[in-house]
């Protein structure tokens, strides 16, 4: 049985973005934790993600702003086009929009490295236990014990006061808490992703969205600067195409360029050759656009969920990682005053974050941040337009664009401006 202290010892299942961030938040609040990570090493996997201002606010408060700014691109704008390259809308982002914190476009591996380096520097080199897959748990009135599986087939256990399931979309903790939660919900669209070394396009710090799902949609933005010594950037891109579900959720699953590039072969804009961008990638990954219905609760006794384990959402809107970061902030703040009875703090965390993240999940389904593309697509019948003002008014555009920011938590009302 673990020794009791005023602040609980927290076991974190998963050393991804959410798990690492909650470890830093707990450390800042004076609490002890250990991270159990299934992977044998902290590999820098994945492609690009965006950190919106509410996320960079939290990470900056943890002292990570400078480390992030050295490896990320500070995004200046979001810009929208139809699939004919006709301009629809531009809005400033992050600092350029007047927020006190930037929007960073960053390689997921770079973000993971910044977070894991900070965890090891502040909490100790051995706080991340690799080759420790959380397989299940038991709990009583005094402690929670996690069963751990290792690559060689052996098992061990780790005991503490609290277990946080931050073990991703395939969470074993979530599965034990909600064994009947059902399969992920497929939206009807597949996504392919890659990164390509490419000269800067548009502003050189633009997040581009173009087209619409029925005939193919493109998102592209730079995530590393001057990667070849000649000013080229590493550009993250994704293509969404309507079609049958081809794969289960696996962020590392290889994809085939031939399965989607046909939808984009005539996308040759003055400022970007889209099929050439796709063909320039060394590797293509595929992922089904899926989410899960919001859970009725996350917390049971000394156990709770965080990040993708709690609220898996369609990877659209740059908000999955941001919501995990906000989860971490809320959880640590509540546990800091929990004393020897953390259960009440976990319930309060559940009450604070579950409904907020459920709204993001559902809004990503109904009214995503690129809904302006859908609106123009439907009003034009997917044809070029002569004048945008004949299609949609400025007031309508403003209303569409503000709706998602309010739900996602990074509107001016939530964050303020400089």
């Amino acid at each position: 049985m673990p020794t009791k202290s005023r602040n609980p010892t927290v076991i974190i299942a998963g050393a991804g973005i959410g798990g690492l961030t909650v470890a830093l938040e707990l450390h800042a609040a004076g609490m002890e934790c250990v991270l159990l990570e299934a992977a044998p090493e902290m590999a820098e996997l994945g492609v690009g993600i965006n950190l919106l201002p509410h996320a960079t606010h939290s990470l900056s408060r943890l002292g990570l702003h400078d480390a992030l700014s050295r490896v990320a691109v500070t995004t200046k704008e979001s810009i929208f086009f139809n699939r004919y390259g006709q301009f629809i809308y531009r809005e400033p982002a992050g600092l350029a929009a007047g927020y006190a914190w930037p929007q960073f476009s960053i390689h997921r591996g770079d973000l993971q490295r910044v977070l894991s380096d900070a965890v090891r520097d502040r909490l100790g080199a051995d706080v991340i236990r690799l080759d420790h897959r959380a397989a299940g748990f038991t709990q009583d009135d005094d402690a929670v014990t996690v069963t751990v599986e290792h690559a060689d087939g052996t098992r061990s256990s780790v005991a503490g006061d609290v277990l946080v399931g931050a073990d991703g979309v395939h969470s074993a903790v979530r599965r034990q808490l909600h064994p009947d939660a059902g399969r992920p919900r497929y939206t009807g669209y597949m996504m392919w992703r890659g990164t390509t070394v490419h000269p800067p396009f548009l502003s050189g710090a633009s997040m581009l969205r173009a087209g619409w799902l029925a005939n193919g949609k493109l998102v592209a933005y730079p995530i590393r600067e001057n990667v070849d010594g000649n000013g080229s950037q590493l550009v993250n891109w994704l293509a969404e195409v309507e079609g049958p579900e081809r794969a289960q959720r696996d962020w590392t699953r290889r994809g085939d360029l031939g399965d989607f590039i046909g939808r984009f072969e005539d996308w040759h804009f003055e400022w970007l050759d889209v099929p050439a961008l796709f063909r320039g990638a060394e590797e293509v990954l595929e992922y089904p656009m899926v989410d899960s219905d919001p859970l009725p609760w996350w917390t049971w006794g000394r156990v709770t969920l965080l990040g993708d384990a709690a609220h898996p959402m369609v990877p659209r809107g740059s908000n999955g990682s941001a919501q995990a970061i906000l989860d971490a902030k809320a959880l640590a703040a509540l546990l800091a005053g929990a004393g020897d009875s953390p259960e009440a703090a976990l319930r309060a965390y559940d009450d604070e974050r579950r409904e907020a993240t459920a709204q993001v999940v559902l809004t990503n389904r109904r009214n995503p941040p690129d809904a302006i593309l859908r609106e123009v697509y439907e009003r034009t019948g997917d044809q070029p337009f002569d004048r945008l003002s004949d299609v949609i008014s400025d007031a309508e555009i403003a209303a569409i664009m503000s709706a998602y920011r309010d739900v996602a938590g990074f509107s001016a009302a939530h964050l303020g401006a400089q």
Side-chain angles (χ1 to χ4, degrees), residues 211-240:
W212 188 243
L213 296 164
N215 284 323
K217 191 185 82 173
L218 165 72
V219 179
Y221 50 89
I223 56 175
R224 287 177 183 159
E225 299 281 16
N226 196 24
V227 292
D228 61 355
N230 295 313
S232 292
Q233 299 172 309
L234 187 67
V235 174
N236 181 81
W237 56 261
L238 66 87
E240 286 185 60

Side-chain angles (χ1 to χ4, degrees), residues 306-368:
L306 182 144
D308 284 346
H311 44 75
M313 60 186 66
V314 175
R316 180 184 294 138
S318 309
N319 223 348
S321 59
Q323 294 302 318
I325 290 166
L326 297 183
D327 289 348
K329 176 184 176 182
L331 178 60
L334 289 162
L335 280 174
D340 292 341
S341 302
E343 296 94 334
L346 297 186
R347 290 193 298 271
Y349 157 74
D350 193 319
D351 290 341
E352 178 177 333
R353 292 295 300 154
R354 181 169 41 82
E355 181 60 29
T357 56
Q359 290 302 310
V360 177
V361 170
L362 298 176
T363 301
N364 270 344
R365 293 180 184 178
R366 299 188 303 261
N367 192 37

Side-chain angles (χ1 to χ4, degrees), residues 55-70:
T56 57
H57 177 202
S58 288
L59 297 180
S60 296
R61 186 176 45 79
L62 290 169
L64 300 177
H65 177 275
D66 290 348
L68 292 169
S69 65
R70 285 192 291 269

